[in-house]
Amino acid sequence: MFDIEEELKKLPAQPGVYLMHDAKDEIIYVGKAISLKNRVRQYFQSSRNKTAKIEQMVSRIARFEYIITDSELEALVLECNLIKEHRPRYNTMLKDDKAYPYIMVTVSEAFPRILFARTMKKDKNKYFGPYTSAGAVKDTIDLIHKLYQIRTCNRNLPRDVGKERPCLNYHIKQCAAPCQGFITKEQYDSSISQALDFLNGRYEGILKMLEEKMQKSSERMDFEKAIEYRELLSSVKKVAQKQKITSGNMGDRDIIAMAKDETDAVVQVFFVREGKLIGRDHFHVTVGAEENPAQILTSFVKQFYSGTPFIPRELWIQTELEEKEIIEKWLEMKRGQKVKLVVPRKGQKERLVELAEKNAALVLSQDKEKIKREELRTIGAMNQVGDLIGLSRIRRIEAFDISNTSGLESVGSMIVYEDGKPKRSDYRKFKIQTVKGPNDYASMKEVLSRRFSHGLEEAKSLEEKGVDQVFGSFTRFPDLIMMDGGRGQVNIALEVLNELKLEIPVCGMVKDDNHRTRGLYYNNVEVPIDKHSEGFRLITRIQDEAHRFAIEYHRSLRVKGQVKSVLDDIPDIGPARRKALMKQFKSLEAVKEATIEELEAAPGMNRKAAQSVYQFFR
């Protein structure tokens, strides 16, 4: 039994991170402290200064744990990582998890390429961005290829010059074919230099060149070429128009402001790169009514910049952040250079922050209904499922399915939904190892045994190393297990859990005669569900996703030739006869039940082969 009063006495007066758990051992809050002893004790002291949100959180704390760090900066880094991993319900949470695209110029190569990139790596290449529109990035890269004829292939040049024929891009004049030696390295480097100027926003040279070429083509009455240059000229002007100058001083900065109501906030970010506004985006944040802009923006900055690879030189912010100095140190550490947090007070800088605030307020008013609909579809749907079967606070559901198409060896799938959304990083695939033939129950038992045994072993290993099990990748067990089927599948799951001494609720997703979701099977009772409810739609999505993931894995293995048919084990039956039998009888069960005469009548079969198949199944 965890004695909070006794454990409070043991807290060290050192920097670190603390994690609050509820009665279900779910992490409900993560925080950092310069002195764990002082900070954690404050939660349990009577005070009038606590907000309603904190009061509610404290009332649910069943236990806490802490991790000591060497400095407050280390505590900040760990806090950001743990919040992102566990998404505690009482932390101010950034709802959006977006990855912004970049344009990468592979200057580390002798003949550089210009590519679309989802992340910015610490390598020798040049990166431009982040941009807010993947479509705009791809359009820009296409335009650069047309303008400067940069290669897109991954051939090793100059080593492979002349080894293969030029590709289609050369013939449609979107590549100068350095792979054939049709352009010298000096000429190619000049094209790359011009492309870099273009990406840096220096458009004057290309605009002038295209204008001249269009005029000369027109004078020569080569109107087809003139139209081509005119279209390129128009495309460049569109790109140039989108990048409006926001500051006379060149530099990288993000401009951040927010608007809030009682339960939600929207943070607007303007992305300025080399003095140009390259895009903007907004982020929804869950907040408490008592939280002020400084608290909300502090949480936003910590969560947002823990997940983005690019840190600008300056952040212009609507109001002074809490923990400003330590956040600046953290950002400086991530960037590798000094980072300034600025609260503009006058002039153009202040007007830009005000503009970001107005945009945030506009988005908040427009998206309020949209947010409500999304929450009803996800978290609301999870709550509906919980209410149906008498469970409270379902956050994580794991669903399992088996696929064994046409008598081929079985595979299993495990999918995960958290807060009503798929968490694909936690999906798992299982190639059945101990079961021969299409036996769904035995296959499911193997899958569940492997999944939960592995989790328990991982937790034990981490515990022996002195690490809390919350850090294990497979140790996070679900609040509810969903089986693709009724009583039989549920009983298999309960049998496995009982053997492993685990207590996790299990329900079956029951289908009707038309193979459509009908309801849930829980505690030996089929629970009817309103087919027009969000809970029903969520169950259907989970069932379909589990089935899709299993089928997809099975199909990929068949393509790779890694899945073996039961028929492969029969003497005198090779790939051609196996295929002919499955085409003739449609299923393995039909092959099993066929007579020798029926088997012999199948294309490519003879008496000896038919007898081999007949005897194998008897």
Side-chain angles (χ1 to χ4, degrees):
M1 183 69 180
F2 190 89
D3 189 327
I4 289 179
E5 289 301 323
E6 284 300 314
E7 295 300 325
L8 287 172
K9 295 174 185 176
K10 301 175 186 176
L11 285 164
Q14 291 176 255
V17 174
Y18 54 92
L19 301 90
M20 303 299 194
H21 294 252
D22 64 9
K24 292 175 65 178
D25 213 30
E26 179 184 337
I27 296 171
I28 58 174
Y29 189 79
V30 173
K32 73 164 185 64
I34 301 174
S35 169
L36 287 164
K37 181 178 182 179
N38 295 340
R39 185 72 188 96
V40 177
R41 286 169 67 91
Q42 286 176 2
Y43 287 101
F44 301 95
Q45 294 170 350
S46 56
S47 169
R48 295 180 181 177
N49 297 325
K50 286 185 193 152
T51 64
K53 182 179 177 181
I54 294 298
E55 290 277 13
Q56 186 186 47
M57 185 268 288
V58 172
S59 70
R60 296 191 59 185
I61 296 173
R63 73 177 184 93
F64 60 80
E65 60 179 315
Y66 53 87
I67 304 162
I68 298 170
T69 60
D70 289 332
S71 66
E72 188 185 4
L73 181 58
E74 282 186 18
L76 175 65
V77 174
L78 182 57
E79 178 197 31
C80 291
N81 291 337
L82 289 173
I83 288 174
K84 190 172 183 180
E85 169 69 20
H86 299 291
R87 302 189 66 81
R89 67 176 303 185
Y90 286 103
N91 282 91
T92 299
M93 289 305 305
L94 173 62
K95 292 183 181 179
D96 307 80
D97 187 14
K98 301 177 182 178
Y100 292 100
Y102 294 80
I103 294 175
M104 176 175 69
V105 185
T106 61
V107 292
S108 59
E109 298 177 326
F111 288 84
R113 295 169 292 159
I114 296 176
L115 306 171
F116 180 97
R118 273 292 175 193
T119 56
M120 185 173 74
K121 298 177 181 176
K122 291 185 178 179
D123 53 26
K124 295 179 181 178
N125 298 316
K126 283 186 180 293
Y127 291 84
F128 295 84
Y131 299 96
T132 54
S133 167
V137 169
K138 289 171 183 174
D139 290 344
T140 300
I141 292 172
D142 287 344
L143 177 58
I144 288 172
H145 288 144
K146 289 176 184 176
L147 291 172
Y148 303 110
Q149 298 187 22
I150 306 299
R151 74 183 183 109
T152 59
C153 67
N154 57 5
R155 296 176 188 177
N156 189 334
L157 303 181
R159 188 193 70 186
D160 294 340
V161 170
K163 286 188 177 179
E164 295 181 43
R165 290 182 298 175
C167 65
L168 177 64
N169 283 348
Y170 166 72
H171 297 290
I172 62 174
K173 298 181 180 178
Q174 288 192 20
C175 177
C179 62
Q180 303 300 308
F182 293 167
I183 182 172
T184 66
K185 185 171 186 333
E186 291 72 25
Q187 291 170 323
Y188 192 87
D189 285 345
S190 174
S191 295
I192 287 291
S193 177
Q194 292 175 60
L196 288 171
D197 282 344
F198 182 91
L199 288 169
N200 279 313
R202 295 189 279 274
Y203 306 112
E204 297 79 12
I206 189 66
L207 287 169
K208 185 178 178 182
M209 182 195 76
L210 290 171
E211 187 81 45
E212 289 174 356
K213 287 188 174 183
M214 183 179 71
Q215 292 296 338
K216 286 179 181 177
S217 297
S218 183
E219 288 167 7
R220 293 196 309 268
M221 300 185 74
D222 187 352
F223 298 119
E224 188 175 328
K225 203 71 178 171
I227 290 170
E228 185 181 319
Y229 287 128
R230 185 186 69 188
E231 289 175 350
L232 285 173
L233 189 63
S234 175
S235 297
V236 174
K237 284 179 178 177
K238 281 180 184 175
V239 171
Q241 244 180 0
K242 286 178 182 176
Q243 298 201 345
K244 295 181 170 59
I245 298 292
T246 62
S247 171
N249 301 318
M250 299 295 279
D252 297 334
R253 60 181 58 90
D254 289 349
I255 301 166
I256 305 170
M258 56 141 292
K260 73 177 286 284
D261 57 19
E262 294 77 18
T263 56
D264 292 291
V266 168
V267 179
Q268 181 82 42
V269 184
F270 290 164
F271 301 102
V272 179
R273 301 294 176 261
E274 296 201 5
K276 296 177 178 63
L277 177 65
I278 65 164
R280 63 181 183 176
D281 213 339
H282 63 269
F283 303 85
H284 294 285
V285 181
T286 54
V287 298
E290 310 88 352
E291 289 181 273
N292 60 44
Q295 293 170 321
I296 294 167
L297 288 174
T298 297
S299 294
F300 171 81
V301 167
K302 290 196 291 188
Q303 290 179 58
F304 180 68
Y305 291 103
S306 70
T308 179
F310 184 83
I311 311 291
R313 189 177 65 183
E314 291 183 353
L315 304 185
W316 292 358
I317 304 180
Q318 179 181 14
T319 189
E320 204 77 55
L321 296 187
E322 297 178 340
E323 310 167 339
K324 177 188 173 186
E325 292 76 14
I326 192 67
I327 290 176
E328 279 185 331
K329 284 183 185 177
W330 171 60
L331 293 172
E332 183 178 328
M333 182 184 73
K334 285 179 69 69
R335 177 178 165 83
Q337 293 176 311
K338 190 170 181 61
V339 177
K340 289 176 64 179
L341 300 180
V342 180
V343 181
R345 303 294 184 190
K346 59 183 180 180
Q348 186 190 21
K349 291 182 180 180
E350 184 183 30
R351 288 196 295 274
L352 282 167
V353 174
E354 287 175 352
L355 181 62
E357 183 182 354
K358 287 178 182 175
N359 274 266
L362 182 64
V363 171
L364 182 64
S365 63
Q366 289 177 341
D367 284 6
K368 194 68 180 173
E369 285 304 314
K370 182 181 174 183
I371 294 168
K372 285 181 180 177
R373 287 197 302 272
E374 177 63 13
E375 287 191 345
L376 181 64
R377 199 180 79 88
T378 54
I379 296 172
M382 294 284 271
N383 291 336
Q384 284 182 16
V385 172
D387 291 342
L388 271 172
I389 56 180
L391 296 177
S392 60
R393 190 61 185 153
I394 298 176
R395 281 205 63 190
R396 181 183 174 99
I397 290 176
E398 290 181 6
F400 298 83
D401 192 17
I402 299 293
S403 174
N404 53 23
T405 312
S406 297
L408 297 179
E409 279 186 323
S410 301
V411 298
S413 71
M414 171 187 127
I415 67 153
V416 179
Y417 268 61
E418 281 194 0
D419 292 328
K421 296 178 182 178
K423 189 178 182 184
R424 292 185 173 84
S425 61
D426 283 9
Y427 283 19
R428 292 292 183 271
K429 303 169 182 175
F430 300 86
K431 193 174 177 184
I432 304 302
Q433 298 169 348
T434 62
V435 181
K436 297 297 181 184
N439 186 330
D440 284 0
Y441 287 165
S443 298
M444 184 61 77
K445 184 172 183 179
E446 180 189 321
V447 167
L448 293 167
S449 298
R450 284 166 59 187
R451 183 267 178 266
F452 290 106
S453 295
H454 185 71
L456 290 170
E457 288 164 9
E458 191 176 82
K460 184 179 178 182
S461 173
L462 292 169
E463 189 177 345
E464 288 171 353
K465 294 174 184 176
V467 181
D468 192 280
Q469 78 168 53
V470 297
F471 299 107
S473 61
F474 222 164
T475 55
R476 291 198 63 199
F477 287 173
D479 302 307
L480 176 66
I481 296 171
M482 283 191 161
M483 307 300 297
D484 186 36
R487 183 195 301 268
Q489 293 284 15
V490 169
N491 288 339
I492 288 291
L494 291 172
E495 182 183 331
V496 171
L497 295 173
N498 187 52
E499 288 173 2
L500 297 174
K501 296 181 172 57
L502 291 173
E503 292 186 10
I504 303 173
V506 183
C507 70
M509 297 177 286
V510 185
K511 293 182 178 179
D512 60 21
D513 294 337
N514 296 316
H515 214 64
R516 290 192 294 258
T517 305
R518 184 175 72 200
L520 293 177
Y521 180 82
Y522 183 69
N523 281 348
N524 295 316
V525 176
E526 185 172 324
V527 182
I529 181 169
D530 179 5
K531 293 187 177 181
H532 302 290
S533 68
E534 290 296 343
F536 178 80
R537 294 188 183 101
L538 175 65
I539 293 166
T540 302
R541 288 197 298 274
I542 291 172
Q543 192 168 35
D544 291 345
E545 178 70 351
H547 188 60
R548 178 203 66 78
F549 192 55
I551 292 290
E552 187 180 86
Y553 178 44
H554 199 277
R555 185 180 296 122
S556 72
L557 290 181
R558 289 207 309 275
V559 170
K560 293 174 185 176
Q562 294 178 14
V563 174
K564 189 165 75 75
S565 171
V566 175
L567 299 177
D568 290 334
D569 293 330
I570 304 175
D572 302 314
I573 300 299
R577 282 176 172 163
R578 181 193 69 197
K579 187 175 180 181
L581 285 170
M582 293 310 299
K583 187 174 181 180
Q584 176 85 359
F585 293 99
K586 308 302 182 188
S587 73
L588 189 62
E589 289 301 317
V591 174
K592 287 180 181 180
E593 294 169 4
T595 64
I596 293 177
E597 288 71 22
E598 289 170 336
L599 290 167
E600 188 179 357
M605 293 289 286
N606 56 31
R607 188 72 177 181
K608 183 182 177 185
Q611 287 176 334
S612 291
V613 174
Y614 185 81
Q615 292 299 327
F616 182 83
F617 290 114
R618 282 157 182 84

